[in-house]
Amino acid sequence: MSAATPLTLSARNLIRRSGRRELVHGISLELRHGEVLGLLGHNGAGKSTTLQMIAGALTPHSGQIEICGFDLVRQPDQAKACIGFLPENPPLYRDMRVNDYLVFVARLRRVAPGRIADMLAQAMQRCGLQEVGPKIIGTLSKGYQQRVGIAQAIIHAPDIVILDEPTVGLDPAQIRDIRALIRELGDAHSVILSTHLLDEVESVCDRVEIMQDGRLIYSGSSDDMQQYGDGKMKLEEVYIRITENHVSEEQPQ
Amino acid sequence: MIRLIALKELRSLFAAPSTWLMLGALQFIFAWLFLVRLDAFLQVQAQLAQVANAPGATQAVAAPLFNVLALILMMLTPIFTMRLLAEERRNQTLALLLTAPISATHIVLGKFFGLLLFLALIIVSCTAMLLTLAAGTQLDLGLVLGNALGLLLLAAAYVALGLYISALTVQPMVAAVGALAALSGLWLVEISAAGSENNWQMIAPTSHFHNFNVGLLNSVDATYFLLFSIAFLLLTIRRVNNNRIYG
C-alpha cells in the first residue's frame, strides 16, 4: 500500500482500563483507503475492546482517534458517519423485519431518503439477503442473522467497515461468500476485522496486527508473516511462534 | 433523529401482542369502572338535585375516573419503561445507537417521546370514553381537558423516571420493579403526609396532579412536572454517555 493513499483511520496510544486492570495499553493503528487489516490475537487479548473504541461505542481513557480526518471525540457525528460497525454480537432488533431493520439503520446513519431504496437493495444483494427481506429477524438462522449484521454495517457505504469476528457461526459456503464480500469491500473502503481464523487472514487481509495482553506485538503484511517462519511453516505455527516468543521476551528467565 | 427513534419505539410496541392485550384489558377495566361510577351517580342524582351547588356529572363521574387512571398509569408505566434501555443493553443493541452519528440526547428523547406518545393514546382513548357522557348531559369540557392535560404531564414525569431507572440496569425486570418502587414510594409520601402540616407531599407527582383533577390549572404544578421530567431526562442522558466510559 503506497504512502500516497489517504489515511482513513489513525488511532494513537489508545488506553482502556477496567477497574485497575489495563485491557488495552497504548495501541496505535493506522489504516489506509482500500486496505484490509486483520487484528489477530488470543481470547481476551483486547481485540474487541480496541474495535469498540474505534467505532465509538467505548471511550478510550487516553489516546486519540481520527476517522477520515475527524476527531472521534470532538466531531463525533461526522466521524461516526464514516463508520460501519459489526460488534461481536450483531445488534439486531429481533422483533423487526429484515427490510424494516435495515431501513431504520440507514436512516439512523443519515442516508439521504432518496438513496435508501438503492442502498438497501445493494446491501441485501451483497449479503445474499434478498429472499429473507420480509422475514422477522428473530426467526432467522444464526448465519442469516450474522449476514443481516454485516448488511447493517455496510448499508450506508461507510469509508471504514469494522467487523468483529464476521464469519462466526457461518457454514463453509457462507464463509467463502463473506470473505469474497470483505475482499470486495476492501477495494472501495477500508476494512478492519478481528478474527481467530488464520486462513481468513491469509485469504482476505493485506496487513496483520497481532495483539496480546492489550499490546500490539507484531505488525506486517500477511506475506511478511509467512517469511517470519522461513516460508516453510504454516501460518498457524508462525502465529504460535510469534505469540510465544513474545511471552518469553516479556518474562526473561 | 428523535422522531425516527420515537417511531421505532412506537412500532415495536405495537408489534408485540402483549401491548394489544394490555390495551384491551385496560379499556375493559376502565369501562367497567366508568359504568359502576355512572350507576352510582344515577342512583343519587335525585337527591343531588335538591342540594344547592351540587356536583355535576363531570365532577362526580369523570374526575374520580381520571384519578383512577392516574393510579393505573403509575402501575402501567414501569411495565413499558423497563424495556427502553435495559433491554437494549442486555441484547447489546445499544452499540448500534452508540456508534450511529447521533447523540445520547437524541436516543433518550426519542425513547421518551415514543413511549409518551403511546401513553397519550391511552389517555386520549379513556378521555374519549368519558366524553360519551355528553350524550346524556352537559359536560364541563374545561375540567375534562384540564384532567387530560394533567394526566399527560403526569405520564411524562413517570416515563422520565422509569427511563432513568431503565438506564441503570441491564435487567428489564429490575428496571420495572425499581420504577414501580420509586413511583409508589412517591405516592406513599403523599398519602402519609396528607393532612399534616409539613410540605413533604409536594415532592410527589400525584399531589400536583390533584389540582388538575379538581379543575385548578396552576403554573406551579405544570412547572413541577416539567422540572421533574427534565431532571430525570438529563440524568438518563448522562447515564447513556457514561455507558461509553464504563462499558
Side-chain angles (χ1 to χ4, degrees):
Chain A
M1 200 58 50
S2 76
T5 341
L7 213 58
T8 46
L9 165 79
S10 122
R12 284 186 289 277
N13 290 321
L14 299 184
I15 295 180
R16 170 93 198 167
R17 300 182 205 95
S18 162
R20 284 197 172 170
R21 214 158 55 92
E22 272 199 5
L23 297 176
V24 174
H25 319 255
I27 290 230
S28 297
L29 285 174
E30 275 188 355
L31 192 62
R32 291 185 183 280
H33 185 78
E35 195 177 25
V36 180
L37 171 67
L39 206 54
L40 273 174
H42 296 317
N43 290 325
K47 302 187 297 283
S48 290
T49 313
T50 308
L51 293 185
Q52 281 180 331
M53 284 194 285
I54 296 170
L58 287 177
T59 313
H61 286 116
S62 96
Q64 201 186 12
I65 301 171
E66 238 175 59
I67 288 157
C68 303
F70 299 111
D71 188 291
L72 191 58
V73 177
R74 288 200 205 98
Q75 296 156 297
D77 287 0
Q78 288 99 318
K80 284 181 196 168
C82 305
I83 296 180
F85 178 45
L86 169 72
E88 225 170 340
N89 297 304
L92 305 174
Y93 293 108
R94 301 173 56 85
D95 57 348
M96 284 176 99
R97 291 174 198 284
V98 175
N99 282 332
D100 294 344
Y101 170 75
L102 290 176
V103 170
F104 170 70
V105 175
R107 294 180 61 190
L108 200 63
R109 303 253 175 77
R110 299 180 192 272
V111 175
R115 291 176 62 212
I116 289 182
D118 285 348
M119 301 296 244
L120 176 70
Q122 196 186 5
M124 293 190 61
Q125 188 259 326
R126 277 179 148 180
C127 299
L129 289 168
Q130 294 100 321
E131 285 152 32
V132 297
K135 287 196 177 163
I136 290 173
I137 295 175
T139 63
L140 298 177
S141 66
K142 169 95 173 87
Y144 268 105
Q145 291 190 2
Q146 188 70 19
R147 291 199 211 186
V148 178
I150 296 172
Q152 65 79 25
I154 62 170
I155 189 158
H156 53 307
D159 289 323
I160 304 177
V161 183
I162 303 171
L163 305 169
D164 199 348
E165 304 194 2
T167 50
V168 163
L170 302 181
D171 65 42
Q174 290 172 332
I175 290 183
R176 192 194 56 207
D177 294 349
I178 293 299
R179 284 183 188 165
L181 173 65
I182 295 172
R183 252 322 345 151
E184 192 190 322
L185 288 173
D187 294 337
H189 315 268
S190 315
V191 181
I192 173 165
L193 63 95
S194 81
T195 181
H196 299 294
L197 306 172
L198 290 152
D199 52 336
E200 194 152 290
V201 169
E202 211 169 3
S203 58
V204 303
C205 297
D206 300 314
R207 208 150 56 79
V208 185
E209 306 263 4
I210 299 180
M211 276 187 83
Q212 189 164 323
D213 299 327
R215 288 193 174 83
L216 285 179
I217 55 168
Y218 178 85
S219 172
S221 71
S222 45
D223 298 336
D224 289 346
M225 206 169 144
Q226 291 281 17
Q227 281 165 14
Y228 191 95
D230 313 327
K232 289 173 200 149
M233 293 161 79
K234 287 175 86 183
L235 208 56
E236 259 168 53
E237 291 164 10
V238 177
Y239 169 72
I240 289 168
R241 187 190 270 193
I242 292 173
T243 48
E244 277 176 355
N245 276 355
H246 180 72
V247 171
S248 53
E249 279 165 27
E250 281 256 294
Q251 299 153 342
Q253 308 244 316
Chain B
M1 284 299 137
I2 294 175
R3 202 180 62 169
L4 175 66
I5 295 176
L7 289 180
K8 194 232 139 220
E9 281 305 319
L10 208 57
R11 207 164 46 173
S12 72
L13 269 174
F14 282 119
S18 58
T19 311
W20 292 98
L21 191 70
M22 204 125 44
L23 279 179
L26 181 72
Q27 286 290 295
F28 180 77
I29 293 170
F30 194 74
W32 190 273
L33 292 171
F34 181 34
L35 199 67
V36 168
R37 194 81 208 176
L38 191 61
D39 199 40
F41 177 71
L42 288 177
Q43 283 185 5
V44 296
Q45 202 187 15
Q47 290 131 313
L48 278 179
Q50 292 155 12
V51 185
N53 234 343
T58 323
Q59 219 176 335
V61 179
L65 282 171
F66 275 115
N67 218 348
V68 169
L69 192 55
L71 276 183
I72 292 178
L73 276 183
M74 188 180 89
M75 291 170 223
L76 207 60
T77 316
I79 300 175
F80 290 112
T81 53
M82 68 175 184
R83 293 177 42 256
L84 291 178
L85 284 162
E87 201 171 74
E88 296 254 7
R89 289 173 67 190
R90 194 174 61 164
N91 296 343
Q92 307 192 354
T93 46
L94 196 58
L96 178 71
L97 299 177
L98 289 180
T99 57
I102 54 172
S103 69
T105 314
H106 288 135
I107 301 174
V108 171
L109 287 183
K111 293 194 170 269
F112 172 77
F113 284 116
L115 185 54
L116 191 59
L117 208 59
F118 174 76
L119 293 181
L121 282 179
I122 293 181
I123 295 169
V124 166
S125 63
C126 289
T127 308
M129 200 192 289
L130 294 176
L131 285 177
T132 57
L133 278 174
T137 174
Q138 199 167 13
L139 273 181
D140 181 353
L141 263 184
L143 184 61
V144 173
L145 292 181
N147 265 297
L149 176 69
L151 271 183
L152 192 65
L153 289 170
L154 187 72
Y158 286 174
V159 172
L161 179 63
L163 188 58
Y164 176 58
I165 293 175
S166 180
L168 293 178
T169 167
V170 184
Q171 298 291 338
M173 216 50 217
V174 175
V177 173
L180 189 62
L183 293 180
S184 34
L186 285 170
W187 183 52
L188 287 176
V189 168
E190 192 216 345
I191 292 184
S192 48
S196 64
E197 298 273 301
N198 62 42
N199 287 325
W200 274 104
Q201 74 253 38
M202 296 298 279
I203 68 160
T206 36
S207 78
H208 292 272
F209 172 67
H210 185 71
N211 280 344
F212 285 98
N213 195 228
V214 296
L216 203 64
L217 292 183
N218 189 340
S219 59
V220 170
D221 299 314
T223 315
Y224 167 87
F225 283 123
L226 288 181
L227 286 179
F228 190 97
S229 309
I230 291 170
F232 279 105
L233 286 176
L234 286 176
L235 283 171
T236 315
I237 291 168
R238 210 184 124 82
R239 184 69 196 86
V240 170
N241 271 328
N242 279 353
N243 224 67
R244 289 205 181 90
I245 298 171
Y246 302 113

